[in-house]
Amino acid sequence: MTFITNDCVTNTLELLPGADRPRPCLQKVFDDESGRWVPAHWATCDNPNCRGCVPREAEHGKLCRTCYSKITDALSRVEELIVHFRSIDKTAQAIGERVDTSMTKSIVIPDAWLAADGLMEALGAPPIPSTASIDDTFELARQAVGEWADVDSIIATREGAKRAVVLVKRLQTALKRWPDAEVLYRPIPWFVCEQCRTRGSLWRRSPVEQGDDLLIECGTPDCGWSAEWFGWIETHKQALETFAAEWMRMQKEGGAA
Ligand SMILES: [Zn+2]
Ligand SMILES: [Zn+2]
Ligand SMILES: [Zn+2]
């Protein structure tokens, strides 16, 4: 009997941390009894707890056909999503990060930013500096994805194929946590609109397209007030620091953010 040694790389990734490790890709066979495709077993397998033991064959470099289509899809979306993850976060944390200087150390980098950096890392690029603007971020992400233009030669190596499946895994995890619908508007608690004087009517709006500004907008019908986000932050630095400190205190006490 000849064993297939050209398995999809997902079958040989023991050294990856659990969060990055995809499930091994297995061959499936049609089961007449259940009428379904089920994981295949080696003829010698008599382990009743085995969930499939025949690896799927690599057809594109070190990746099986499914993994190949996943990385192709991921590469078409990851640039946008990195920017997207950079523009979402828990509002108070983002405020704290951007208010910066004196309180930088006490503020946790938003999880979504870490997710963006995780994607950059999987692409083989350095993390995005916390001072990067949205346009900077677009550019850094574009360059990182650009390095994958010849994806076939990257996944021809074991190391490249590994990075590809890690990228896909991180993208899936991040998308599950921050589904697309969540992104565009985030409420800004505490503040009063400077035009219509309504409290709690302000929203932070993520850029929709490259070149768009990150904005703060009032949601009161007929008000229509809006301003550029970072300028607004600068103006309200003092109050924001106070609120961010208060928010941190509430977090520590287990209160709602
Ligand atoms: Zn088995
Ligand atoms: Zn695979
Ligand atoms: Zn208003």
Side-chain angles (χ1 to χ4, degrees):
M1 174 172 209
T2 313
F3 285 93
I4 299 160
T5 51
N6 189 29
D7 303 337
C8 174
V9 77
T10 51
N11 289 279
T12 51
L13 294 172
E14 312 78 17
L15 294 177
L16 280 180
D20 280 344
R21 196 183 313 134
R23 253 189 277 166
C25 296
L26 299 172
Q27 280 187 33
K28 298 205 169 174
V29 286
F30 192 76
D31 177 46
D32 288 328
E33 214 167 296
S34 66
R36 295 215 306 252
W37 287 89
V38 297
H41 292 263
W42 295 116
T44 52
C45 178
D46 51 12
N47 174 1
N49 297 318
C50 177
R51 296 168 70 193
C53 50
V54 186
R56 205 182 290 153
E57 202 177 331
E59 294 180 38
H60 297 265
K62 305 288 182 200
L63 298 180
C64 72
R65 196 185 305 171
T66 306
C67 287
Y68 185 68
S69 66
K70 283 183 189 167
I71 184 62
T72 309
D73 172 65
L75 287 170
S76 72
R77 297 195 293 158
V78 69
E79 176 185 332
E80 241 172 84
L81 288 166
I82 287 170
V83 177
H84 176 94
F85 293 138
R86 273 293 289 213
S87 61
I88 59 172
D89 44 307
K90 279 187 164 177
T91 304
Q93 285 178 319
I95 289 170
E97 237 284 327
R98 285 296 180 177
V99 170
D100 212 9
T101 57
S102 60
M103 55 177 313
T104 307
K105 283 196 180 67
S106 66
I107 295 292
V108 182
I109 294 175
D111 287 353
W113 290 30
L114 295 178
D117 283 347
L119 294 170
M120 290 293 281
E121 190 200 3
L123 287 164
I128 299 161
S130 68
T131 51
S133 69
I134 290 296
D135 280 352
D136 295 341
T137 305
F138 264 113
E139 183 54 26
L140 292 169
R142 194 188 62 77
Q143 285 171 12
V145 174
E147 295 294 320
W148 286 68
D150 186 6
V151 58
D152 288 9
S153 77
I154 292 178
I155 60 164
T157 68
R158 212 185 117 72
E159 185 54 34
K162 185 174 98 179
R163 276 169 47 207
V165 295
V166 167
L167 177 66
V168 168
K169 185 74 197 297
R170 288 183 182 177
L171 197 58
Q172 287 170 340
T173 307
L175 279 172
K176 240 179 255 165
R177 198 160 158 199
W178 296 281
D180 276 354
E182 241 195 323
V183 291
L184 196 53
Y185 285 97
R186 289 258 147 183
I188 308 295
W190 311 309
F191 282 85
V192 172
C193 169
E194 40 193 272
Q195 186 164 289
C196 70
R197 312 308 302 171
T198 309
R199 182 173 295 275
S201 66
L202 299 181
W203 298 77
R204 176 178 180 273
R205 200 198 75 179
S206 308
V208 181
E209 290 175 29
Q210 180 162 9
D212 272 4
D213 280 334
L214 190 57
L215 295 177
I216 178 158
E217 291 182 346
C218 176
T220 305
D222 302 323
C223 174
W225 179 85
S226 83
E228 195 271 324
W229 173 252
F230 296 115
W232 184 82
I233 291 239
E234 199 50 41
T235 314
H236 294 83
K237 208 172 167 133
Q238 207 66 49
L240 286 163
E241 287 203 16
T242 308
F243 282 121
E246 174 67 9
W247 182 86
M248 289 295 284
R249 193 184 60 76
M250 280 161 43
Q251 290 286 300
K252 271 200 198 109
E253 288 171 8

